[in-house]
Amino acid sequence: LPWRAAKGQKIQPYHVLLSEIMLQQTTVATVGPYFQKFVQRWPSISDLACAHLDEILHGWQGLGYYARARNLHLCAKLISEELGGQFPEKEDDLKNLPGIGIYTAAAISAIAFGNPANVVDGNVERVMARIHALKQPLKSIKRQIRDLSAKISPPSRRERPGDFAQAVMDLGATICTPRKPKCKICPWRCQCKAFQNGLQGLIPARQDKKSKPKRYGIVFWVKHRDAGILMKKRPNKGLLGGMVVVPSTEWVGKKWSTKDAQNTAPFKTNWRPLPGVIKHTFTHFHLELSILAANVSKIGDTDDFIWIRPEKMHEIPLPTVMKKVVQHALKLS
Ligand code: SF4
């Protein structure tokens, strides 16, 4: 893994921080190229602190959960500017950094600084549940799993807590996988109660997944021959915070009528519907967007907006859903 220090190499706390934030909610395979791109472009935490947030969001596009990128930038600024470039080493201090929760603080403290810590991610939860043959859904036994993990976590620096944490997480990611765990080659098969009782396929208990709600919106695709496409920067907080988007109605639980949508448009003009819909799935909902388009010859009062030429779209931080909108609309308008 590109963020792991090779034998004899010094562990870079910056690399651990960056990889742990990128890996929140995202797979190792997806994170790999993003991690490499970031460390090439911003080799140190102070380089990242000096970058403009838009550049970081641009580098992050496609990875989703953009609050992570904003928090990463805040972390870098705080460490570089207020802590004199000194990384906090203790879990409690790390938890004070923006976007760093219990797991990430423990992982950074153990892996980057070799401190004893109870590092429990989703992989570790699954391994613990199987070793102890806990049949309840993971959500209901998180406390119990943390306690069990704490009991086997190395209590001192001498026992290499960082290596231990990474080894258990790797065991979960590569051997004790959610489906078809490879028990025959598992170093813990003699201790594992699930394996001994043939329960490894049933633990952790599957929870019925709630079906995701569907939301609908209409985007306003406005084209000016010279200025380009009308876009808008989202406020820094909330979904897609800080990213650039095509102006849109709110995203709501029922389809918009064209008349209602037009009442929320950036201005009054002759809107025409473009054929087709854009579908995108976020963590908590499915989204379906339709498009109302207009060509304008005057720029008028669009102070809250920005104009982007189509050939410059790749230079702005566009979330994946808006890339889909832009690609679709450019073909049709
Ligand atoms: S023996 Fe099988 S179920 Fe138990 S920890 Fe190892 S891989 Fe997981």
Side-chain angles (χ1 to χ4, degrees):
L1 298 175
W3 44 87
R4 293 273 167 86
K7 210 174 176 188
Q9 253 182 2
K10 202 169 174 294
I11 296 172
Q12 304 272 348
Y14 168 51
H15 289 183
V16 180
L17 171 78
L18 181 60
S19 62
E20 287 299 339
I21 291 184
M22 285 184 165
L23 286 164
Q24 291 167 1
Q25 323 270 358
T26 310
T27 62
V28 166
T30 305
V31 166
Y34 281 90
F35 175 84
Q36 282 173 321
K37 191 170 69 176
F38 264 63
V39 292
Q40 263 167 22
R41 184 151 180 207
W42 299 292
S44 70
I45 190 102
S46 58
D47 294 321
L48 195 70
C50 291
H52 194 280
L53 177 60
D54 282 351
E55 296 175 276
I56 295 173
L57 288 170
H58 186 261
W60 201 274
Q61 59 186 355
L63 208 49
Y65 298 97
Y66 296 95
R68 293 181 298 171
R70 299 194 301 274
N71 283 331
L72 175 66
H73 191 222
L74 289 173
C75 276
K77 283 174 113 44
L78 212 144
I79 292 168
S80 297
E81 293 164 15
E82 291 180 32
L83 304 178
Q86 198 65 37
F87 254 84
E89 296 189 16
K90 293 188 182 144
E91 275 182 80
D92 282 346
D93 296 333
L94 284 158
K95 272 189 265 178
N96 288 330
L97 296 175
I100 305 288
I102 296 173
Y103 159 74
T104 311
I108 296 172
S109 187
I111 298 168
F113 301 107
N115 292 320
N118 186 17
V119 184
V120 184
D121 72 347
N123 285 317
V124 176
E125 285 182 343
R126 184 172 58 258
V127 173
M128 290 297 125
R130 284 176 173 162
I131 285 179
H132 296 279
L134 305 175
K135 294 180 190 155
Q136 304 92 318
L138 288 180
K139 261 192 178 167
S140 65
I141 49 171
K142 288 204 175 255
R143 181 75 254 171
Q144 188 182 357
I145 285 181
R146 281 195 66 75
D147 292 346
L148 290 167
S149 166
K151 278 191 189 150
I152 58 164
S153 296
S156 76
R157 295 175 66 86
R158 231 187 21 236
E159 288 146 295
R160 295 160 47 199
D163 286 348
F164 178 84
Q166 291 180 95
V168 183
M169 289 192 281
D170 285 357
L171 181 85
T174 58
I175 293 179
C176 193
T177 46
R179 283 169 213 283
K180 297 190 183 160
K182 303 168 191 72
C183 301
K184 281 190 185 153
I185 57 164
C186 177
W188 272 348
R189 66 189 177 282
C190 296
Q191 290 86 9
C192 179
K193 288 190 183 153
F195 174 60
Q196 285 158 13
N197 293 293
L199 295 172
Q200 62 271 32
L202 300 174
I203 294 176
R206 306 235 184 284
Q207 264 199 312
D208 290 344
K209 281 199 176 159
K210 275 192 207 157
S211 62
K212 288 184 191 186
K214 199 165 183 183
R215 293 192 195 166
Y216 301 88
I218 294 188
V219 293
F220 301 100
W221 181 256
V222 184
K223 208 169 168 185
H224 181 278
R225 200 186 54 194
D226 302 318
I229 308 298
L230 190 75
M231 308 285 283
K232 187 168 187 157
K233 191 154 192 250
R234 302 266 300 185
N236 271 345
K237 282 200 172 153
L239 186 69
L240 309 181
M243 303 295 280
V244 177
V245 297
V246 181
S248 157
T249 60
E250 278 185 50
W251 300 343
V252 295
K254 74 178 188 40
K255 284 190 179 176
W256 285 84
S257 70
T258 306
K259 192 172 157 225
D260 286 347
Q262 283 181 6
N263 288 335
T264 75
F267 44 76
K268 281 196 165 57
T269 188
N270 285 330
W271 295 103
R272 63 180 198 286
L274 290 187
V277 291
I278 289 93
K279 293 183 178 176
H280 187 77
T281 296
F282 291 93
T283 323
H284 300 299
F285 63 95
H286 299 291
L287 178 66
E288 193 175 294
L289 293 173
S290 313
I291 305 180
L292 287 177
N295 286 7
V296 294
S297 51
K298 282 192 191 148
I299 287 184
D301 180 16
T302 51
D303 281 356
D304 293 342
F305 299 88
I306 45 179
W307 292 92
I308 308 284
R309 302 250 349 132
E311 67 274 15
K312 299 271 183 193
M313 284 288 175
H314 67 281
E315 293 177 11
I316 56 168
L318 262 188
T320 305
V321 59
M322 289 298 150
K323 275 193 178 157
K324 291 182 186 174
V325 170
V326 169
Q327 277 164 8
H328 185 88
L330 280 177
K331 269 191 241 153
L332 297 172
S333 62

